[in-house]
Amino acid sequence: MSLEKFLSQAVSSWMNEDGPSSEIVLSTRIRLARNHHQYAFPTVFTQEEAEQTAEAVGAAVKHTGYPLEELKMKELQGLEKRVLVEKHLISPNLAEDSGASSVWLSDNEDISLMVNEEDHLRIQCLFPGLQLKEALHKALEIDDAIEQHFDYAFDENYGYLTTCPTNVGTGLRASVMMHLPGLMMTHQMNRIIPAIGQFGLVARGIYGEGSEALGNIFQISNQTTLGKSEEDITEDLLHVVDQIIAQEKSAREALVKSSGIQLEDRVFRSYGTLRYSRVIESKEAAKCLSDVRLGIDLGFIENVSRSILNELMILTQPGFLQQYAGGFLRPVERDIRRASLIRERLEMDVSKDKGGSDI
Amino acid sequence: MMCEQCQERPAAVHLKNVVNGKKSEIHLCEVCAQDKGEAFMNDDGGFSFNHLLAGLLNVSPVMKQSQPQQNRRQTVECSGCEMTFDQFLKIGKFGCPKCYESFRDQLPPILKRLHSGNTVHQGKLPERQGGTIHMKRKVTELRSDLKALIEQEEFEQAAEIRDQIRSLEAEIRDEGGGADES
Ligand SMILES: [Zn+2]
Ligand SMILES: [Zn+2]
């Protein structure tokens, strides 16, 4: 399979659009947790209840008229599930389950409904760039449509009842994926992360709690789901994200001013590493991709598309590497594959741009 | 605008905070914002749920009551899924929607800790199932309008609002009072 064809299948099409503030915000995600009032939560439910729940969700989804397609976990291969996880369309938890769990996906993968994960239903909408209001609007619209044929577990005091008490109330998790190399290079993230904690928000590196942020990518999201309206939650988040964007921009400006040539050198060294290395570990690849993306944003690099970081961060993970290779790969083989996939991808951009000469 | 905490440096962090429907705005400089943030995060540095629950067990007044009450707490069992409150604390997850009703007495301190002091939902209501809850919310809204109008001595308008409240309340009674306990 040619890389171009593989890319078109591997990268969700919503990701290729440039959204607002896309030089810093990669994507926006809204998730709503919902449950049926009659069945036990996935924590304790029986196989029979799991199947009944899945059936009830399925019936309601079909009634909405949204053209969504169901993928059942028990019918997918391990590698296929892994790819869905790497695209953030399902959670690792859902992939582990082979009972009555499934995901409903839209054609361009901007809508994903997880069935029988931690909750009976999780409605997820993904948008490129910073589009919190748009994403919320869409998720609430789907929520309304599903509710017409599905009795939610809802309490006058506690709102939407969820398996975990951290989600009760709105069931809303709004998150924004941000690329923050300027704040990392100027050592400001240590200051910002605790500061936003007190406002019911949290920032974490994209690859899970505890681990350091890979590729300077952070996910900022709300912690509080109870006692605030959906609009207030997203507005508060937007407010903080706007401030982080402003600080990232001024950090970048300060870096260019104080050490422009060193920054440019760093960007092109990373670009060189990506274009010419033969073996590359994921951590190094993430660091270099972040530098190259910054180089594109600052105008140092012109012939590489802006979505490169988003795209290659996903493509160079084990599931995709193996899918591209068409079989199982040992870790060393993955590092080799990763290097060649990145080289190929960058050459694609450079050759498209006939005017730009090779470096 | 100056920082509300130290009144020394210009405020750089402006945020709205909502606790049980009451809005407040906080304006802090970066230094004070950081201090506040660190106090909040303390030393575990993370937000793992187990940490939070462990913290709750030590801090919550419910947990520190006398022995007999503590025993009662441990044996509270959900009428729907038979999960006990103790099991819930161990796994940090409910077993079914009825758990919320069964553990109603134990939940407020936990929810307060998890949701910045909030215990009451202020967000969306389900359109179809919302039923009388929509009307009850409207009544609450109208009551605060009414209060304001009386304070402003706008008695004519106040009378109109009062009648609206009465007719809504009658409607709520006709619908059987509460929303279904799902
Ligand atoms: Zn201050
Ligand atoms: Zn229960």
Side-chain angles (χ1 to χ4, degrees), chain A residues 264-277:
Chain A
E264 196 170 342
D265 181 66
R266 173 176 166 154
V267 164
F268 279 103
R269 278 170 188 274
S270 289
Y271 183 59
T273 302
L274 293 176
R275 278 215 64 185
Y276 299 108
S277 65

Side-chain angles (χ1 to χ4, degrees), chain A residues 35-80:
Chain A
N35 287 283
H36 195 279
H37 80 117
Q38 197 185 328
Y39 304 114
F41 293 144
T43 342
V44 299
F45 68 10
T46 60
Q47 178 66 19
E48 200 190 339
E49 279 177 307
E51 277 159 20
Q52 286 169 334
T53 311
E55 215 167 284
V57 174
V61 171
K62 279 177 195 143
H63 269 290
T64 64
Y66 283 97
L68 304 174
E69 218 181 296
E70 187 182 26
L71 299 174
K72 292 187 170 146
M73 287 307 122
K74 63 177 176 212
E75 290 168 10
L76 293 181
Q77 304 294 315
L79 200 55
E80 293 173 303

Side-chain angles (χ1 to χ4, degrees), chain A residues 301-319:
Chain A
I301 297 177
E302 285 176 340
N303 48 8
V304 179
S305 48
R306 191 171 247 184
S307 57
I308 195 86
L309 170 70
N310 237 338
E311 210 174 78
L312 284 178
M313 285 295 284
I314 290 176
L315 286 174
T316 55
Q317 290 186 63

